[in-house]
Each structure stands twice: as structure tokens, then as C-alpha cells.
Amino acid sequence: MSVLSLHEAPAAVLWDMDGTVIDSEPLWLNAELSMLARYGIELSDETRDRLIGSGLRRAARIFQELGVPLGIDEIIAEWEASVIAGLREAGPQWRPGAVELLESLAGAGIPSALVTMAVRSIADAVVELLPEGVFRGIVAGDEVAHEKPHPDPYLRGAGLLGVPIGRCLAIEDSPTGLASAQASGAIAIGVPNLLELDEASAHELWPTLVGVDADRLSERFRGLRNADQTTGAQR
């Protein structure tokens, strides 16, 4: 990285996991459909979209509302076992450009943290499949006081790395996650996967992470942060 881009680089990059780092949504969907089928319940497209990016406790409450006669912890435990089994059986399906960007950031000395609403065991299983050292910390859904879209997960991610949230860039694939990231004070970047993000709370939407390295990310962070500060000063 150049001296200028290193000086203006984010203090850290905070990553969502499902749909952003790894294309694990099919594993979650399989777990959810298997559970619903057991009780003769269908999953509508509208409900599926509500589930993407949601915290697991919120998603479990939605399943209870649909008629699943299980406790929240029972629902989450079954999903957890199913997703981990799927990861081990099929192997990881990384989102385009994600691993390359993680490696570029690590090489440039810009720390990354994983901020996911999946439980810690699933987050650990995913991180173990990645190159060693690309993530310096993990905030999991069973470790936060408030799930996304509350800003708490991203504030915890910045705190874990010891950096100010206003110097962080967050990467997300869902409106729920982007709302959490932006509310925290991070620069929020949306990379669409299963959901449209045109109406989401994002500083900018990127069609893909392919071709994005630490230099390019730092350049956009600098521009977006300067624009955000200018807009804030004018309010």
C-alpha cells in the first residue's frame, strides 16, 4: 500500500459471514425447510426474506409464530447441527472475491473481524476453513446483548479490535446487517447476494468483491468517510 492509502486506510474491516464471506444461505435454508416440513409448514418467499440477515433468536421466534412447537434454544441447536454438518460434508463455498480481499487486508496490516449472527460454533467452523490469521476476532450471535439490526454487534467488533467504530468499514449482504453497521457509525458497504439492497441503509453498494484489494478498499473508504463527515457537518 502507498503511504497515503495506508494513512487513510480503515482501522479495521468488519465482515458479516453468511452471504458475505461464505455462501452458506443454502445450508441454512435446508435446515429451515427440513424443520418446517416435519411439522407440515411451508416457507413463503416473504418469510424467507425476513430470515436472511436476522439474528437466530429472532428467526427462531418467527418459526414459533409459524407453528413450530419447539423452544428457541431447541430450534437454534437443530439449525446449528445441520449447518455444521453441511459445511463438513460439502465444504465451503466462498463468496466471490472475499478470501482474496481478506488476504490482501491481512497483508496490508489492516485487521478484520467477523461480526455474525450465527452462533460461535458455526463461526469457528467457518474461520477454521479460511487461511490462518485473516480474522483477528469474532463476534457471534450468541455473544451479543442485541442482535442486528441493533448497532451492538458492530460496536463490539470494533471494541474487540481496539479501534474506533468511525474508522471501520463494514461489509454486509442484507438490509438488516447494513442497518446495524450504519447505525454503529461504521462505513457500511452492501454487496448483494440473495436480496436487493437498493433501499437498504448503505453508504455504497458494490456488485462484487472480485478485484477489490486493500488499496482499492482504502481509497473508497477515504472518499466515503470524507463525504459522510462533510454531510454530517452540514446538518
Side-chain angles (χ1 to χ4, degrees):
M1 295 182 70
S2 67
V3 173
L4 178 61
S5 60
L6 181 59
H7 175 69
E8 297 291 345
V13 178
L14 308 176
W15 294 72
D16 173 53
M17 185 177 77
D18 295 302
T20 301
V21 173
I22 186 171
D23 191 10
S24 51
E25 296 295 354
L27 299 178
W28 286 102
L29 184 60
N30 180 66
E32 292 159 358
L33 290 176
S34 295
M35 179 178 289
L36 292 177
R38 191 163 71 240
Y39 300 106
I41 303 169
E42 293 187 1
L43 180 66
S44 68
D45 290 343
E46 179 182 358
T47 300
R48 185 206 64 177
D49 289 351
R50 288 174 62 200
L51 293 169
I52 296 173
S54 293
L56 291 186
R57 300 193 72 81
R58 177 172 178 266
R61 285 192 291 270
I62 292 173
F63 265 50
Q64 289 179 326
E65 292 169 5
L66 293 175
V68 173
L70 299 174
I72 287 177
D73 290 339
E74 292 176 294
I75 293 172
I76 293 174
E78 183 172 326
W79 289 343
E80 175 185 356
S82 177
V83 170
I84 290 177
L87 279 172
R88 290 173 176 166
E89 180 179 344
Q93 301 296 315
W94 306 118
R95 292 289 294 143
V99 176
E100 292 82 359
L101 177 54
L102 280 164
E103 291 179 314
S104 179
L105 291 168
I110 301 173
S112 291
L114 194 64
V115 180
T116 176
M117 291 298 89
V119 295
R120 182 61 183 245
S121 59
I122 295 177
D124 284 341
V126 170
V127 170
E128 287 173 3
L129 298 171
L130 286 160
E132 185 176 357
V134 295
F135 280 115
R136 294 195 193 175
I138 299 172
V139 175
D142 51 348
E143 300 171 339
V144 299
H146 305 282
E147 298 176 322
K148 299 175 186 177
H150 195 280
D152 179 56
Y154 278 102
L155 293 171
R156 287 175 181 258
L160 188 64
L161 298 179
V163 299
I165 190 64
R167 289 283 301 156
C168 293
L169 182 146
I171 305 176
E172 275 279 357
D173 75 308
S174 72
T176 299
L178 285 169
S180 173
Q182 191 165 59
S184 75
I187 294 297
I189 301 299
V191 183
N193 183 11
L194 296 179
L195 297 178
E196 294 290 336
L197 300 179
D198 293 342
E199 303 300 322
S201 301
H203 288 86
E204 191 164 79
L205 300 182
W206 296 351
T208 181
L209 293 178
V210 173
V212 179
D213 61 8
D215 276 322
R216 184 176 172 191
L217 181 143
S218 295
E219 179 183 357
R220 290 307 303 138
F221 172 79
R222 181 171 64 250
L224 292 168
R225 187 165 183 262
N226 289 342
D228 198 48
Q229 290 175 335
T230 299
T231 301
Q234 292 174 345
R235 289 176 185 149

